[in-house]
Amino acid sequence: MTQDGKKDLVTLVDSASGQKFELPIIPGTMGPKVLDIRSLYGQTGYFTYDPGYTSTGSCESKITYIDGDAGVLLHRGYPIDQLAEHSDYLEVCYLLLKGELPNANQKEKFEKDIRTHTMVHEQINAFYRGFRRDAHPMAVMCGVVGALSAFYHDSLDIADPHQRMIASHRLIAKMPTIAAWAYKYSRGEPFIFPRNSLPFAENFLHMMFATPCEEYKVNPVLARAMERILILHADHEQNASTSTVRLAGSSGANPFACIAAGIASLWGPAHGGANEAVLQMLTQIGSKERIPEFIARAKDKNDPFRLMGFGHRVYKNYDPRATVMQRTCHEVLDELGVRDEPLLELAMELERIALEDPYFVEKKLYPNVDFYSGIIFRAMGIPVSMFTVLFAVARTVGWVAQWNEMIGDPHQKIGRPRQLYTGATQRDFVPLHARG
Ligand code: CMC
């Protein structure tokens, strides 16, 4: 806004016609201002071209703020390291969904609301048996979460705020159960039902590792580490999976279908699949002596290999989540008495060498959240194929919060990008006998 109360504007000049166009600038509370291009096509006849949306703000949001250059991540204004240190996952869920940290009564009620939805419909139990035992658990997650819309008909009306709230609670509450059961199914072990007396992360670890045969006590250090990992992954602004959820939801699709779409997007190795890919990469590298060979491959434009767990679209500095993750990694290994974890030593050496290499320095490629998480998961006894599933469990609240925000946004429209068409121009149909 200028001092006389007028909107700041950017003037565009069409060099072909000499015509001038004005576009308003909108400020946020933090971060770069945005250019409001909604009238661009109407005014100029041009669309914008921005593959990968590197310069496009797709929505207005009050949930998460990232300053990628400074390595800052805030949820509703609170720094991620403070939340990871002092809060718990369900409290962060409340914060993301409702905008404020809960007071004691609100916290107790929210935890109870989530607890009452941890079980899944008994018929879902049977649904698992349609999958092969060796199916990737992310494939099972896409299927089972998508299928929730076939079970919970009373929370599909997105125009009803109460139904939206119930669907949100159901998704947050049932995701650990669905994920743990995907693991149990792959092992041929009986499903373990949720224990609502346990805190969120502990309950999840219990469903993963307990059996009906004997008492299983979750290690409190591991439960705390899992709680922290869930917090670190809870939301991350308009990333690929969140944008997928918003785009799917923009058509009015039901929340369970939208979250299943988010899970599918998360699965890719450039996104949530990176934690699995990091461990595979470290195993492939095998020894410190081979690091230079893989660094050289990562820099080679003719080699598709990339250092997994390195680089980020937004962070051009150390990912603040990776800092907490590295600390948590040491805590977990200490607790488990793992003195020499070759993969951790390899990861730390790889990080050291990469951060001194001009290629990674110039391109500002730093370790991201996925670089250390796999080592922690492995030490906890979680199989590699479950790594991205854990990310999905944690990110569900982010997806749900962003979906709710979108539904409540008066500017919300169906997402419908345009394109730069470079295909054939109009031509007449050629009958089969006349084609060469
Ligand atoms: N190893 C080697 N080179 C890289 C890497 C990497 N990990 N990441 C980026 N580069 C290079 C890339 O080749 C490009 O070079 P040039 O400018 O010479 O063509 C430059 O850095 C910019 O890369 P980009 O692919 O244009 O950047 P982007 O913002 O589109 O991609 C990214 C971001 C995360 C997909 C990418 O850094 C990457 O593939 N990293 C490895 C996968 C990974 O760890 N993903 C997890 C992301 S964090 C958690 C999450 O979001 O789920």
Side-chain angles (χ1 to χ4, degrees):
M1 215 51 105
T2 56
Q3 276 181 339
D4 52 1
K6 287 192 187 141
K7 273 188 179 168
D8 287 326
L9 298 168
V10 158
T11 306
L12 302 179
V13 181
D14 185 337
S15 61
S17 65
Q19 262 189 297
K20 287 187 180 168
F21 308 100
E22 288 187 327
L23 295 172
I25 296 172
I26 311 179
T29 47
M30 294 174 83
K33 297 172 182 173
V34 303
L35 195 55
D36 180 354
I37 60 166
R38 280 174 293 184
S39 67
L40 183 76
Y41 179 62
Q43 277 196 68
T44 67
Y46 295 125
F47 293 131
T48 56
Y49 178 61
D50 185 19
Y53 310 121
T54 54
S55 298
T56 297
S58 58
C59 61
E60 183 185 329
S61 182
K62 294 182 168 54
I63 301 174
T64 292
Y65 173 76
I66 303 174
D67 180 338
D69 294 320
V72 168
L73 168 60
L74 310 176
H75 290 321
R76 304 284 192 184
Y78 295 103
I80 189 66
D81 54 320
Q82 291 185 20
L83 292 171
E85 196 59 43
H86 305 297
S87 191
D88 59 61
Y89 180 67
L90 281 184
E91 195 170 75
V92 172
C93 289
Y94 186 98
L95 175 70
L96 290 170
L97 285 170
K98 301 188 188 265
E100 295 298 336
L101 286 167
N103 63 28
N105 286 341
Q106 290 164 332
K107 186 170 158 80
E108 196 187 327
K109 177 169 184 320
F110 184 68
E111 287 176 356
K112 184 166 170 286
D113 287 346
I114 298 297
R115 272 202 304 273
T116 46
H117 290 294
T118 51
M119 278 212 304
V120 291
H121 191 289
E122 188 58 12
Q123 197 65 21
I124 289 180
N125 202 319
F127 199 85
Y128 278 82
R129 305 197 191 284
F131 291 104
R132 285 170 54 138
R133 295 263 177 196
D134 61 356
H136 194 289
M138 281 298 276
V140 176
M141 294 299 286
C142 290
V144 176
V145 174
L148 293 178
S149 45
F151 289 91
Y152 299 103
H153 297 152
D154 58 345
S155 51
L156 298 182
D157 180 0
I158 64 160
D160 177 349
H162 181 72
Q163 292 203 27
R164 291 209 300 272
M165 185 188 70
I166 298 294
S168 305
H169 290 173
R170 280 183 168 146
L171 278 156
I172 295 165
K174 292 183 198 312
M175 209 63 159
T177 313
I178 294 169
W181 286 13
Y183 173 62
K184 287 297 194 193
Y185 184 72
S186 72
R187 291 182 60 85
E189 287 182 12
F191 296 148
I192 300 295
F193 282 84
R195 270 209 192 163
N196 290 346
S197 56
L198 297 178
F200 194 86
E202 204 171 323
N203 185 28
F204 175 55
L205 288 171
H206 187 264
M207 285 190 285
M208 285 277 295
F209 296 120
T211 66
C213 319
E214 54 192 68
E215 195 56 36
Y216 178 82
K217 182 91 189 73
V218 178
N219 178 324
V221 175
L222 301 192
R224 178 65 200 142
M226 180 57 78
E227 197 85 35
R228 210 180 278 162
I229 291 169
L230 294 173
I231 294 172
L232 292 178
H233 288 88
D235 190 48
H236 210 231
E237 207 226 59
Q238 308 311 320
N239 54 82
S241 57
T242 302
S243 299
T244 302
V245 169
R246 279 188 179 256
L247 193 56
S250 75
S251 70
N254 76 69
F256 303 107
C258 295
I259 301 306
I263 294 172
S265 169
L266 186 76
W267 195 358
H271 192 7
N275 53 16
E276 181 174 340
V278 170
L279 218 75
Q280 282 158 353
M281 175 190 74
L282 291 173
T283 311
Q284 195 191 359
I285 297 175
S287 70
K288 289 183 188 173
E289 292 68 43
R290 293 190 67 200
I291 291 176
E293 179 196 328
F294 283 85
I295 293 269
R297 284 188 60 192
K299 297 191 303 193
D300 181 355
K301 286 278 156 259
N302 299 316
D303 188 329
F305 176 79
R306 283 187 167 200
L307 272 198
M308 300 315 284
F310 255 77
H312 197 275
R313 168 63 61 77
V314 184
Y315 293 119
K316 302 302 167 200
N317 199 327
Y318 215 95
D319 179 338
R321 302 168 300 172
T323 318
V324 183
M325 204 60 101
Q326 194 194 39
R327 203 170 60 234
T328 308
C329 188
H330 286 290
E331 279 172 23
V332 166
L333 295 184
D334 280 352
E335 170 65 19
L336 295 174
V338 182
R339 294 284 162 256
D340 306 303
E341 162 55 275
L343 286 189
L344 176 62
E345 286 182 18
L346 192 60
M348 285 169 45
E349 184 65 0
L350 182 62
E351 177 186 335
R352 191 188 64 75
I353 294 178
L355 292 183
E356 286 174 359
D357 189 295
Y359 173 94
F360 291 89
V361 174
E362 277 157 26
K363 294 186 188 301
K364 299 185 178 169
L365 300 170
Y366 291 85
N368 59 49
V369 69
D370 291 318
F371 194 66
Y372 285 103
S373 59
I375 297 171
I376 309 180
F377 291 151
R378 197 173 94 123
M380 285 177 163
I382 293 167
V384 177
S385 62
M386 282 296 288
F387 291 2
T388 313
V389 172
L390 295 185
F391 195 153
V393 169
R395 184 54 58 84
T396 297
V397 67
W399 292 329
V400 162
Q402 301 265 355
W403 172 81
N404 272 296
E405 184 178 61
M406 181 195 68
I407 304 282
D409 182 349
H411 300 297
Q412 190 265 327
K413 286 173 181 284
I414 185 168
R416 178 45 170 102
R418 300 305 298 264
Q419 61 175 8
L420 171 66
Y421 178 71
T422 53
T425 52
Q426 185 168 339
R427 49 188 168 163
D428 287 330
F429 180 79
V430 181
L432 184 58
H433 65 83
R435 292 175 213 160

